[in-house]
Amino acid sequence: DAGVIQSPRHEVTEMGQEVTLRCKPISGHNSLFWYRQTMMRGLELLIYFNNNVPIDDSGMPEDRFSAKMPNASFSTLKIQPSEPRDSAVYFCASSGSNRNYGYTFGSGTRLTVV
Amino acid sequence: GESVGLHLPTLSVQEGDNSIINCAYSNSASDYFIWYKQESGKGPQFIIDIRSNMDKRQGQRVTVLLNKTVKHLSLQIAATQPGDSAVYFCAENQAGTALIFGKGTTLSVSS
């Protein structure tokens, strides 16, 4: 298995532009998580899905952020409009139905909003 | 709110020494705990986990200790190697919730 695949690896965009981050979880995993990592706040949970259904989106900063999981093999995190304070590394992770071995993380997308 | 934290932001050791990284958690309902390692430019990588019905679990060169009385978790790395240099995070959750991560401890190993 190729693991959790995220794209793009790096994204530089201008303030006000729309940004879409993509994630392909590990085949067979039924939970998917989006985290954001910054020096100041560490790893923060944004949203997680179970069987493609959003379960907890309380970590989504504001209405500018939205996430979808149209099927078991794909999820997107969209920021519209983007702001400089959104600059961070965004990680996607997936896990199976039990809680053994925690989550498998992707390599992340480093977003810079200028 | 609930949080998971680490006692020390940085830890420097010599190659071959044993390392101990500590973590305090505040959610007494948490029943599952994990240690992750994150190398520069990469996502967090699973090291070892422990459930609340245990107080110790060993892996290859790593041991996790859980003290539920004082809500404390530690990671011990035996014979630390330069390749162990990374940021280490503890994380916790209970069934039905997502993992909550601490801020991380940076381990630097000098040879």
Side-chain angles (χ1 to χ4, degrees):
Chain A
D1 197 320
V4 176
I5 300 173
Q6 291 187 246
S7 65
R9 284 300 311 274
H10 303 275
E11 177 80 33
V12 180
T13 190
E14 291 185 345
M15 182 174 61
Q17 296 298 306
E18 177 179 295
V19 176
T20 299
L21 311 182
R22 298 172 175 79
C23 175
K24 176 179 168 52
I26 289 175
S27 177
H29 280 187
N30 63 342
S31 295
L32 183 141
F33 308 83
W34 283 100
Y35 284 85
R36 178 171 68 176
Q37 186 175 38
T38 61
M39 288 294 293
M40 290 296 294
R41 301 172 70 92
L43 268 164
E44 301 175 279
L45 175 71
L46 298 176
I47 185 171
Y48 85 90
F49 296 84
N50 192 44
N51 294 323
N52 312 338
V53 176
I55 302 300
D56 181 359
D57 65 354
S58 60
M60 296 286 263
E62 49 200 89
D63 291 345
R64 298 186 298 107
F65 285 68
S66 62
K68 294 182 180 180
M69 192 164 186
N71 57 61
S73 59
F74 185 66
S75 177
T76 59
L77 177 67
K78 185 176 295 186
I79 308 172
Q80 165 64 18
S82 58
E83 297 181 2
R85 59 191 168 122
D86 301 330
S87 297
V89 181
Y90 291 82
F91 286 104
C92 175
S94 68
S95 71
S97 55
N98 61 46
R99 288 194 289 162
N100 295 333
Y101 308 112
Y103 305 164
T104 302
F105 281 79
S107 297
T109 294
R110 180 175 293 278
L111 173 66
T112 302
V113 184
V114 298
Chain B
E2 304 293 354
S3 65
V4 179
L6 291 167
H7 294 306
L8 290 175
T10 61
L11 176 65
S12 297
V13 300
Q14 290 284 116
E15 181 178 3
D17 287 351
N18 295 332
S19 302
I20 300 176
I21 301 172
N22 296 304
C23 176
Y25 66 95
S26 59
N27 185 357
S28 56
S30 293
D31 61 358
Y32 182 57
F33 305 87
I34 306 177
W35 281 100
Y36 279 91
K37 172 186 181 183
Q38 186 177 25
E39 296 174 294
S40 181
K42 297 182 179 180
Q45 180 183 12
F46 172 91
I47 302 174
I48 191 168
D49 60 0
I50 188 168
R51 297 189 183 277
S52 59
N53 60 353
M54 303 173 69
D55 53 20
K56 180 179 180 179
R57 191 161 188 226
Q58 288 184 290
Q60 186 177 13
R61 285 200 305 118
V62 294
T63 300
V64 56
L65 299 178
L66 175 63
N67 185 330
K68 294 180 289 296
T69 302
V70 295
K71 290 186 281 189
H72 183 268
L73 191 69
S74 69
L75 176 70
Q76 300 177 0
I77 304 174
T80 313
Q81 303 169 358
D84 295 326
S85 295
V87 180
Y88 290 81
F89 296 92
C90 64
E92 51 91 15
N93 76 345
Q94 54 184 301
T97 67
L99 286 172
I100 302 299
F101 285 78
K103 288 286 193 292
T105 291
T106 299
L107 176 65
S108 297
V109 183
S110 53
S111 52

